[in-house]
Amino acid sequence: MHPPTIWTRLHLRRYVRSGWPWRAALYLLSSAVLGLITLLTLVLLAVAGSVLTVVVVGLPLLLVLVLTGVPLASVERSRLRLIDSEPLTDPHREPDRTGLTAWLRTRLQERATWRELGYAVLFGFLLWPLEALVVGSVLLVCGGLLATPVMLAVDGEEARVLKMWIVDSWPGALSAALAGLLLMPVLAYPLGAIAAGRAALTRFLLASPTGELNSKIKELGRSRVRLVDAFEAERRRIERDLHDGAQQRLVALSMTLGLARLDAADGPLGPLLAKAQDEAATALVEIRELIRGIHPQVLTDRGLVAAVEDLADRSTIPVDVDLDLPVRPAEAIETAVYFAVSEALANVAKHSGASRAVVRGGLENGQLAVEVEDDGHGGADTGRGTGLQGVADRVSVLDGRLLVSSPPGGPTLFRLLVPCSTP
Amino acid sequence: MLRIVLAEDSVLLREGLVGLMERFGHRVVAAVGSADELTEAVAAHGPDIVVTDVRMPPGFSDEGLRAAIALRRCRPGLPILVLSQYIQRSYAEDLLDSSDGTGVGYLLKERIGHVEEFVDAVHRVAEGGTVVDPEVVRQLIRHRRDPLARLTAREQEVLALMAEGKSNASIAAAMVVSEGTVSKHFGSILTKLDLSLDDTTNRRVLAVLAYLRGRPGVDTA
């Protein structure tokens, strides 16, 4: 459904009786006020800026002049809501950093800022006088005719209608008022049309062009990559903390307990110490598995092939690995593919009923292609469960794709494709 | 008494290990915290054995392991025991590949807790033995299909214990069988792995290597 604008309302019979002509009048009237303010601001800033440039303080004033369009456009966008209920989106970007300098740099680099300055100049020097003329004439003609009886009553002898005709009788004054009353709905149409045209012009000049939209999409993509990177860095930090902290302490604890057992081998403490040491050993095994799930060291040290071979080693069903990578891909790619293969193999082990699986892959036309195939009964679904969806999301951040073919009866084939430029 | 160079970046563990070794009458001639210092310390002291961590400064990746392998390249036969937090076949393989796999060990750090076994492992490595952590071996047993698939469960168990560097007598004790049975299993392992039965001194190591690399018939020359 299209939201109502004054243009669509103009075609309706009840337009005249609705509030829309008044909205149009208010829109044009406020234009006149705002336009005058804009004109004064522009002229003052330009004159003061130019004159004071000699003593340097003029430069910031000129900078403010350049930015005049920004607040004006913001007011214009909200004022437009008077006669057009579809909001205009703000084309400006959030600055990357806080602070005035970052804000200024961002604004000055945006095309929107300069478009808005252009709009301010056009508005201040050309548009508002025209609008004031239109709305002024309508109000003056209707108001003047309607006020004739009042003026006659005040003067007592005669009244000048619109400064042109002299009326000195009550029937004359009343018919002038009647003419004013009849003229009102007639003039409501040009008023509405002009306001609609003006709104269209504002929309055209101040709407965010596609270029800005594209840059927003790019920025979104970049922020998604940053999010994943931050997530990855955090995983690594946790892994490091566990390795350097808890793991080492537990080893030291186990060693101390071992030494204590030497001294208390035959004493009453012996069995208790042995039990404590077993607990420490269990905790170490658990931490080791935890760390491997967070970020396996072998992936960092030896790369994707060794890490996938390690996954295959640990799988509960036999897995053959046939990966051929002449060079190591970027770290983000290695990590994403590793966790994708890990998830795929976990699925194979848990749900597929397969007796064996194979991981194969290599570089194909600048893409890293990795497949995981099993001989199970199929029926895997990316939509079901969060695991595969998570893999697909993670790979898509790198502009990669996850394709799953898993017909009922099997076999299931996961195919990962990730763009991967080789040096 | 063994003269030991110890490399471990965690001060807590380093001090603990020094104390442990001294308690058993060995001398830690240098205890360092980075791979570079390790190389220098070995050059300066010429130890009987090097005990090193895998992950160390500056990069906190596998510097310790790489330093150990580089040391073996310069000084073939230098006994090295690597302590690791990871059950990682590729790490163990690299170590075993360095100068014929004798006098090397790859143990998980938690083995240190079993103090006597640990000191025993240090001894065996120093004497040219091969010690591979049972966890690493176990993982390999599970998934190395060829040629290991041909081994029976019992034979796999013998091989695993052998990979830990145990003698026939201690394997027999661990499995609660006679020493003769262990020899019989060992003979059958060698046959199944296509290892020649001539009197090469390191058939045990070769069997373990064959097994770790997942391929039969390691060159016995």
Side-chain angles (χ1 to χ4, degrees), chain B residues 72 93-105 128-132 202 205-206 209 213:
Chain B
R72 292 270 290 181
E93 275 177 352
D94 282 4
L95 197 62
L96 290 162
D97 276 338
S98 65
S99 52
D100 80 5
T102 56
V104 289
T130 310
V131 176
V132 180
N202 266 319
V205 171
L206 291 172
L209 285 181
R213 293 175 184 136

Side-chain angles (χ1 to χ4, degrees), chain A residues 43-286:
Chain A
V43 171
L44 270 175
L45 283 171
V47 172
S50 312
V51 172
L52 293 174
T53 301
V54 194
V55 285
V56 184
V57 284
L59 289 175
L61 289 179
L62 289 178
L63 192 62
V64 173
L65 173 69
V66 168
L67 294 169
T68 317
V70 178
L72 173 68
S74 167
V75 173
E76 281 298 272
R77 273 189 285 270
S78 41
R79 210 165 61 85
L80 194 65
R81 302 295 294 276
L82 266 176
I83 52 168
D84 187 345
S85 50
E86 190 188 355
L88 256 182
T89 50
D90 189 339
H92 291 291
R93 242 180 341 114
E94 279 297 309
D96 300 335
R97 271 168 287 169
T98 52
L100 184 65
T101 328
W103 185 85
L104 274 178
R105 191 177 300 124
T106 309
R107 287 294 168 268
L108 292 179
Q109 280 171 355
E110 283 174 325
R111 205 185 301 171
T113 306
W114 300 94
R115 282 174 77 102
E116 287 168 356
L117 177 63
Y119 177 84
V121 171
L122 187 70
F123 183 46
F125 287 93
L126 186 69
L127 294 179
W128 78 267
L130 291 177
E131 290 165 275
L133 192 67
V134 170
V135 75
S137 318
V138 170
L139 291 180
L140 213 67
V141 169
C142 292
L145 287 173
L146 284 171
T148 311
V150 181
M151 286 195 289
L152 185 65
V154 169
D155 192 83
E157 282 178 15
E158 57 171 41
R160 291 177 74 93
V161 182
L162 300 179
K163 313 258 180 206
M164 284 189 284
W165 308 294
I166 296 172
V167 175
D168 52 7
S169 66
W170 280 104
L174 286 175
S175 47
L178 187 68
L181 207 62
L182 290 174
L183 206 57
M184 266 176 68
V186 179
L187 288 178
Y189 282 94
L191 195 71
I194 286 168
R198 177 67 174 76
L201 185 67
T202 304
R203 186 168 277 284
F204 173 72
L205 291 174
L206 293 183
S208 48
T210 6
E212 302 273 352
L213 198 63
N214 283 343
S215 80
K216 266 198 175 169
I217 291 171
K218 272 196 205 118
E219 176 53 32
L220 269 178
R222 276 199 294 267
S223 78
R224 202 156 71 126
V225 170
R226 281 199 299 272
L227 266 179
V228 171
D229 285 351
F231 175 65
E232 218 42 66
E234 188 62 6
R235 285 180 94 110
R236 239 163 252 197
R237 191 189 61 76
I238 295 170
E239 186 266 339
R240 209 168 43 237
D241 286 356
L242 280 174
H243 176 272
D244 294 343
Q247 224 177 8
Q248 307 287 5
R249 268 181 200 285
L250 274 171
V251 170
L253 170 69
S254 175
M255 181 164 61
T256 311
L257 287 170
L259 285 169
R261 280 179 71 188
L262 282 185
D263 296 333
D266 303 319
L269 281 178
L272 273 179
L273 287 173
K275 190 165 181 299
Q277 203 175 17
D278 282 349
E279 302 280 357
T282 311
L284 272 167
V285 171
E286 280 169 8

Side-chain angles (χ1 to χ4, degrees), chain B residues 173-194:
Chain B
M175 292 176 67
V176 203
V177 293
S178 73
E179 231 180 295
T181 313
V182 173
S183 306
K184 205 172 90 265
H185 283 316
F186 180 46
S188 129
I189 291 168
L190 292 183
T191 314
K192 285 184 180 174
L193 297 187
D194 299 330

Side-chain angles (χ1 to χ4, degrees), chain A residues 239 243 247-248 251-252 254-255 258-259 262-263 277 284 288 297-298 301-302 310 313-315 320, chain B residues 13 16 23 55 61-62 65 85-89 91 94 108-110 113 115 139 142-143 145:
Chain A
E239 186 266 339
H243 176 272
Q247 224 177 8
Q248 307 287 5
V251 170
S254 175
M255 181 164 61
L259 285 169
L262 282 185
D263 296 333
Q277 203 175 17
L284 272 167
R288 190 166 57 224
Q297 183 67 22
V298 65
D301 293 350
R302 300 287 164 98
D310 185 54
D313 278 352
R314 285 163 211 273
S315 169
D320 290 317
Chain B
L13 224 49
R23 182 170 169 150
R55 182 148 123 175
S61 133
D62 56 352
L65 182 69
Q85 300 278 33
Y86 312 102
I87 306 171
Q88 216 70 264
R89 179 160 54 93
Y91 292 168
D94 282 4
L108 289 179
K109 275 192 177 167
E110 59 222 54
V115 182
Q139 192 189 325
R142 253 184 18 196
H143 297 290
R145 288 173 301 285

